Amino acid sequence: MFDSELVVWEEIRLAFERLTKRLHRRSAAAQRAAAVWPAHYAVFGLLPLDGRSLLEHPYVERPCAL
């Protein structure tokens, strides 16, 4: 399982409000919003690996488990 989330970039920052506003749109309005504010799937790391949780380890050590 991945430690991840959907994000929308607004210049140099993440714009969570842009993503949440897209959730309430339908049809053509949703397509326009997606064109202007595309969402990206960002993976930060792994959560469980081989039945053990990596949450017990510091964040900087988790990529070493790959």
Side-chain angles (χ1 to χ4, degrees):
M1 184 186 307
F2 295 111
D3 183 4
S4 61
E5 65 180 272
L6 286 175
V7 297
V8 172
W9 285 97
E10 183 173 26
E11 300 199 22
I12 62 170
R13 71 176 191 90
L14 295 177
F16 182 72
E17 67 280 2
R18 301 285 184 200
L19 185 61
T20 57
K21 287 180 182 178
R22 285 183 49 187
L23 294 174
H24 304 290
R25 297 183 182 184
R26 301 286 182 256
S27 192
Q31 290 177 351
R32 285 192 301 273
V36 174
W37 302 106
H40 304 274
Y41 182 62
V43 176
F44 303 104
L46 295 172
L47 293 178
L49 184 64
D50 297 333
R52 62 185 172 89
S53 174
L54 295 176
L55 294 175
E56 301 167 359
H57 301 281
Y59 184 79
V60 296
E61 291 178 10
R62 294 180 198 172
C64 297
L66 295 172

